[in-house]
Amino acid sequence: MKKRKTPSLFLMVIAIIIGSGIYREFDFEQLTFEKPALVVVYSIVFLACIIMMFLEPKTKE
């Protein structure tokens, strides 16, 4: 049987904090971001965090 990897609690907390930061930067009246450059940085870190959460660690055999 293949063992499933559980997501890291540390990475989950980081993803929630970064995701809420992206949400706070969005202006719902004009459908734009208040600081677009900051949202780009937030998005890169958010996606990297999500990818690292679900990737299998490489093991040496």
Side-chain angles (χ1 to χ4, degrees), residues 5-29:
K5 181 185 177 226
T6 58
S8 169
L9 179 64
F10 176 71
L11 291 174
M12 287 172 116
V13 170
I14 299 248
I16 290 170
I17 291 170
I18 298 294
S20 68
I22 293 171
Y23 180 77
R24 279 186 272 141
E25 288 292 322
F26 190 69
D27 182 14
F28 287 100
E29 290 179 5

